[in-house]
Amino acid sequence: MDKIFRVNMTDLTTKIEEVPAAWAGLGGRGLTSTIVAAEVPPTCHALSAENKLVFAPGLLTGTAAANSGRLSAGAKSPLTGGIKESNAGGTAAQMLAKLGIKAIIIEGAPKTGAWYNLAVSANGVTINEEKELLGLGNFAVIDAVEARLGKKTGVLTIGPAGELKMTAANISVKDPDSKIRSHGRGGLGAVMGSKQIKFISIDSEGAKAVTIADPEKFKTAARAFSKALLDHPVSGEGLPTYGTNVLVNILNEAGGLPTKNFTTGQFEAHDKISGETMYDTIVARGGKHKHGCHAGCIIQCSQVYHDSEGKYVTSGFEYETIWGLGADCCVENLDDIARADNLMDDIGIDSIETAVMFGVAMEAGILPFGDGKGIIRLLTEEIAKGTALGRVLGGGAASVGRTYGVTRVPVVKNQGIPAYDPRSVKGIGITYATSTMGADHTSGYTIATNILNVGGYVDPLKKDGQVELSRNLQIATAAVDSTGMCIFVAFPALDIPECLPALIDMINARFGIALTGDDVTNLGKYILKTEREFNQKAGLTNVHDRLPDFFKTEPVAPHNAVWDFTDEEIDEFWNF
């Protein structure tokens, strides 16, 4: 039977608990949000001892199901003030699942200034004082932990940004190449820093194969599911070849590529930072254009990017980061963007929030637009060192906007709006406005249907159907986030009839149950309503489900589109 590992950082004790019956059918986001909602006072300070940090593998994590190696992390967000779930690849999720760990709950905060590491094994959690690795970047931490505990050790770590409790700090996860994947968005690295935990190590010795109630049914369903992923043109062809950065040229053509801090929808130098250019660069330099973020990933949308001398620079080089530092900051040099991506990984700061922040910082005059070298300098000399300016920058886009009196600040619930202009792609605007997590494209990825014609087509420039589209996708995404699956399984799930039934069949075969499609939909609805109830108690109401005013008053080229939804139309989202 799976267990709950609970860690109390106030009295430095740990215990192993049985899984409550009400939690037995939950995993991933469904479990982290349920625990946070049940155990964290909604009005608490997110960096206080009252907040809790929860890690949970998904329902299918640890099995042979393709693309099921995602780990969810949850807490009250110090950035948005509401509930937060973030999921990431890497090695940790599968290790925890195979150790029979349903969730790790970290509560309290140390009474002294001492810092610690947590060592997780099949026998429980050990709390150890940590002195050696404080102040180090994430890459050095992973190297040191591997030297100390062995190459196979799983690692969750925070960099200097997390130690300094910057609200854009993330939690970094060791990947199969001993590089980094991230629990980004929402400032969860600051929460881990508030618990004074530098890193968590995972020893998989004693790990067992995940028990499958009906192995033959599982194998049949898993084969059908994998086939669907590989047969779809997006998950089987586009993403493996060009990565998520395939979207630069597509969004530029659609007029939905936010440029120069959201002042226009197209970037003149888009081809210099496009997925096609990145592919050619990677191949020419001997990198990897196709690469998985965890074992069992068959989409392989990640990549390994080298410099001109063939040396490693970064991996998991994503569209949102490249868009943010590229088009939004008008940086045309892909090598500068890659170097900045590496630095953000090492510092442990969210590469979406920080990219949006730099767009606002350029509008504030801190740097000129296009200054890629200046971005690198501010990352290394200000943010990493926690100077006064660095702390303002490390607080994200809204922090810089408030400090410098900028009015064009693209945030919702204090979180930066990523990668898609909601005036030109209206469905994603509904997602940004209504997501329980603040502006988060992954909460309900309407780009699939608005732009990529996946699951049908809803005209991105018209209001018709956008609320329903975002609602349906947010419900589905909340459920998928509970399985441990990558969000990109949504592409075949929307288009290939065999895909979603195969996913449900795998869950049923894993646990010996009989879920239906309606049950999965109801799970998604339950998660959204649980998260919204927490947010309402925390003080986030429907008036916070709004985009900044400049989207209404400033038309964006080339379509001269504006955000034209009324408050009443936005509020219709929650009528389910």
Side-chain angles (χ1 to χ4, degrees):
M1 295 294 291
D2 287 348
K3 304 291 184 182
I4 303 288
F5 285 13
R6 190 178 292 269
V7 179
N8 188 308
M9 294 304 297
T10 301
D11 58 20
L12 302 180
T13 61
T14 68
K15 57 184 176 179
I16 301 175
E17 302 173 350
E18 299 296 323
V19 178
W23 297 358
L26 300 172
R29 176 178 171 182
L31 185 54
T32 63
S33 289
T34 294
I35 293 172
V36 170
E39 298 193 3
V40 174
T43 57
C44 77
H45 194 296
L47 300 180
S48 74
E50 291 183 288
N51 199 4
K52 300 188 181 186
L53 179 61
V54 184
F55 296 98
L59 292 170
L60 290 172
T61 304
T63 71
N67 289 76
S68 61
R70 308 283 295 185
L71 179 67
S72 287
K76 178 176 179 177
S77 166
L79 183 68
T80 69
I83 203 165
K84 178 60 191 169
E85 182 270 351
S86 173
N87 58 75
T91 62
Q94 291 164 328
M95 296 175 80
L96 294 176
K98 291 176 181 178
L99 287 168
I101 300 172
K102 184 81 166 176
I104 298 173
I105 304 172
I106 303 171
E107 57 195 19
K111 297 177 180 178
T112 69
W115 279 73
Y116 300 88
N117 72 68
L118 304 183
V120 178
S121 70
N123 299 319
V125 182
T126 302
I127 304 174
N128 308 293
E129 189 169 354
E130 181 58 50
K131 296 180 179 179
E132 178 185 345
L133 304 184
L134 298 182
L136 294 186
N138 287 316
F139 292 112
V141 171
I142 290 173
D143 288 346
V145 173
E146 288 186 343
R148 188 187 295 182
L149 301 175
K151 187 75 174 176
K152 295 182 179 180
T153 305
V155 183
L156 300 164
T157 175
I158 57 172
E163 290 186 48
L164 294 167
K165 293 180 283 218
M166 294 178 179
T167 52
N170 60 23
I171 298 172
S172 298
V173 188
K174 174 185 160 183
D175 75 5
D177 294 334
S178 298
K179 302 301 182 184
I180 286 170
R181 305 292 151 166
S182 300
H183 288 289
R185 323 258 39 212
L188 294 185
V191 178
M192 188 160 155
S194 75
K195 308 300 182 190
Q196 292 164 224
I197 298 168
K198 176 61 177 175
F199 71 86
I200 302 169
S201 65
I202 306 169
D203 178 2
S204 62
E205 186 174 348
K208 301 176 182 178
V210 171
T211 302
I212 306 294
D214 189 336
E216 286 305 313
K217 181 179 179 180
F218 188 91
K219 288 179 184 177
T220 300
R223 283 194 294 268
F225 183 72
S226 295
K227 183 178 186 301
L229 297 190
L230 295 175
D231 284 350
H232 195 275
V234 176
S235 56
E237 297 175 26
L239 288 171
T241 304
Y242 300 112
T244 57
N245 203 35
V246 70
L247 290 165
V248 165
N249 284 340
I250 294 172
L251 266 297
N252 191 75
E253 178 69 21
L257 188 72
T259 298
K260 201 173 185 181
N261 192 30
F262 286 76
T263 57
T264 185
Q266 292 180 315
F267 182 40
E268 186 175 346
H270 63 96
D271 193 51
K272 293 182 179 180
I273 63 168
S274 69
E276 292 82 353
T277 297
M278 184 177 75
Y279 171 88
D280 292 341
T281 304
I282 289 171
V283 171
R285 295 175 176 179
K288 296 179 181 178
H289 72 87
K290 186 177 180 180
H291 184 257
C293 73
H294 66 266
C297 170
I298 63 174
I299 296 177
Q300 304 231 323
C301 71
S302 180
Q303 60 292 117
V304 178
Y305 188 94
H306 289 174
D307 64 17
S308 59
E309 297 179 356
K311 296 179 181 178
Y312 174 89
V313 179
T314 195
S315 49
F317 199 20
E318 305 293 347
Y319 162 68
E320 289 78 17
T321 305
I322 295 168
W323 153 78
L325 296 181
D328 200 45
C329 292
C330 301
V331 174
E332 301 179 8
N333 188 314
L334 200 55
D335 285 346
D336 284 347
I337 298 171
R339 173 62 178 150
D341 188 53
N342 172 275
L343 288 169
M344 289 185 284
D345 279 349
D346 200 35
I347 295 165
I349 198 160
D350 181 36
S351 64
I352 297 179
E353 186 65 43
T354 304
V356 177
M357 175 278 293
F358 275 121
V360 177
M362 288 176 171
E363 179 143 329
I366 298 172
L367 287 175
F369 279 100
D371 189 0
K373 299 295 192 296
I375 288 173
I376 292 169
R377 177 178 56 80
L378 290 180
L379 285 167
T380 54
E381 297 181 10
E382 304 291 346
I383 296 176
K385 294 178 180 179
T387 65
L389 174 59
R391 286 177 177 271
V392 172
L393 300 176
S399 169
V400 172
R402 284 191 301 270
T403 304
Y404 285 85
V406 177
T407 56
R408 188 186 295 105
V409 182
V411 298
V412 177
K413 301 180 181 73
N414 215 48
Q415 182 164 272
I417 292 176
Y420 312 94
D421 198 300
R423 291 165 291 191
S424 303
V425 190
K426 295 186 187 295
I428 205 69
I430 294 294
T431 294
Y432 290 153
T434 58
S435 166
T436 55
M437 309 287 174
D440 179 4
H441 62 294
T442 68
S443 290
Y445 192 64
T446 73
I447 304 305
T449 308
N450 283 156
I451 300 295
L452 301 176
N453 293 350
V454 173
Y457 177 72
V458 177
D459 189 333
L461 292 167
K462 295 180 179 178
K463 293 162 62 174
D464 300 345
Q466 307 294 358
V467 172
E468 182 181 11
L469 174 64
S470 178
R471 181 195 297 128
N472 290 340
L473 288 173
Q474 288 197 53
I475 290 168
T477 300
V480 170
D481 284 344
S482 302
T483 65
M485 285 288 171
C486 161
I487 188 177
F488 293 145
V489 307
F491 292 120
L494 287 167
D495 277 344
I496 298 177
E498 296 81 10
C499 186
L500 185 57
L503 177 60
I504 297 170
D505 285 346
M506 285 192 293
I507 298 172
N508 288 336
R510 161 78 170 88
F511 295 101
I513 54 179
L515 293 179
T516 65
D518 287 343
D519 292 325
V520 174
T521 298
N522 288 334
L523 171 62
K525 291 179 179 179
Y526 155 77
I527 294 167
L528 292 184
K529 289 180 177 179
T530 298
E531 292 169 348
R532 188 186 189 218
E533 183 180 1
F534 180 94
N535 283 356
Q536 289 174 324
K537 291 177 180 177
L540 296 175
T541 67
N542 65 318
V543 300
H544 296 95
D545 289 351
R546 305 290 183 257
L547 299 189
D549 285 343
F550 76 86
F551 287 116
K552 299 178 182 178
T553 59
E554 297 180 16
V556 65
H559 303 294
N560 290 321
V562 295
W563 179 250
D564 51 359
F565 283 86
T566 66
D567 292 349
E568 292 76 17
E569 288 169 334
I570 296 171
D571 291 344
E572 278 293 315
F573 174 89
W574 288 105
N575 288 336
F576 63 86

